[in-house]
Amino acid sequence: DLRVQTAYQQFEDLRNVLGTMALGYKLLCQFKCKEAVEKFQELKAPHAHSGWVLCCLGKCYFEMVNYPKSVQVFRLARQLEPYRSEGLEYFSTSLWHLKNEVELSYLAQSAVEFDKMSPLTWIVVGNCLSLQKEHDTALKFFRRAIQLDPHNAWAYTLSAHEFVANEDFEKALCGFRQAIGENPRHYNAWYGMGNIYFRQEKYDLAAYHFQRALKINNR
């Protein structure tokens, strides 16, 4: 029966698409980002140009420290799905690393206008103010993000970085610990603690925390 064959083929196509997405996401979660990019790039339109896939690719490039490519992909995701908040923490942090104050300010304004109740909105605003060296004000917005989502490890980590900028290392360590408490695989926080202990010349503690970060993400 032709209808049965057509339905079966559609099922197989859907299974292949979802399987490719799932494997790409698994690789991303394992920080095997080069392999994840290759897997996502196997997808064809329209799936390859969905907001979810593009945000995953943007995060891959972010983790690979390819901030220009990360920004490029997130821009495309925003063009296709301008009201998608997923990935804004990585998009805005990539812009922070690139010192792109103009685009980061525009992104913050757009996020605030769209959804003041999203914790990711206030992470973007915090990153914007951090880039402007307004560390105390940035902290207020990262705290707002934590109020809206107390389980957001990224918000705790960014808060900790602001405390480091203010040379308040005890509060920074507390922030990194809170991030790890929410997500033990948040290697950024392990690395951040290692940096503080290194600056304090506590080299054994620094080495321990660097090793924990590398065990999670050795790339």
Side-chain angles (χ1 to χ4, degrees), residues 153 157 175-177 179-180 183 186-194 209:
T157 293
F176 286 132
R177 289 190 190 104
I180 292 167
N183 180 5
H186 193 63
Y187 73 89
N188 314 74
W190 288 106
Y191 186 80
M193 292 180 72
H209 286 83

Side-chain angles (χ1 to χ4, degrees), residues 5-76:
Q5 290 179 343
T6 301
Y8 180 76
Q9 185 59 51
Q10 289 174 340
F11 170 77
E12 284 296 304
D13 290 345
L14 179 60
R15 187 174 71 168
N16 289 336
V17 168
L18 293 177
T20 300
M21 287 181 172
L23 184 53
Y25 186 70
K26 178 182 178 182
L27 290 166
L28 170 56
C29 292
Q30 294 172 335
F31 299 107
K32 297 177 180 178
C33 295
K34 183 176 181 294
E35 295 89 337
V37 169
E38 292 171 354
K39 183 55 62 175
F40 284 125
Q41 287 177 340
E42 292 177 11
L43 293 166
K44 298 178 182 178
H47 311 292
H49 299 130
S50 68
W52 185 83
V53 169
L54 288 170
C55 285
C56 286
L57 281 170
K59 185 178 177 183
C60 284
Y61 289 119
F62 175 87
E63 296 292 358
M64 293 163 71
V65 201
N66 189 342
Y67 300 123
K69 187 66 174 178
S70 179
V71 165
Q72 179 185 340
V73 173
F74 277 122
R75 280 176 187 155
L76 180 56

Side-chain angles (χ1 to χ4, degrees), residues 142-182:
F142 290 140
R143 288 195 196 105
R144 178 59 179 153
I146 292 167
Q147 286 176 344
L148 291 168
D149 180 6
H151 304 296
N152 191 311
W154 198 247
Y156 289 112
T157 293
L158 292 175
S159 295
H161 284 304
E162 296 309 302
F163 284 124
V164 170
N166 286 339
E167 298 194 350
D168 191 338
F169 298 126
E170 287 308 309
K171 287 184 179 179
L173 286 169
C174 181
F176 286 132
R177 289 190 190 104
Q178 287 175 301
I180 292 167
E182 296 302 332

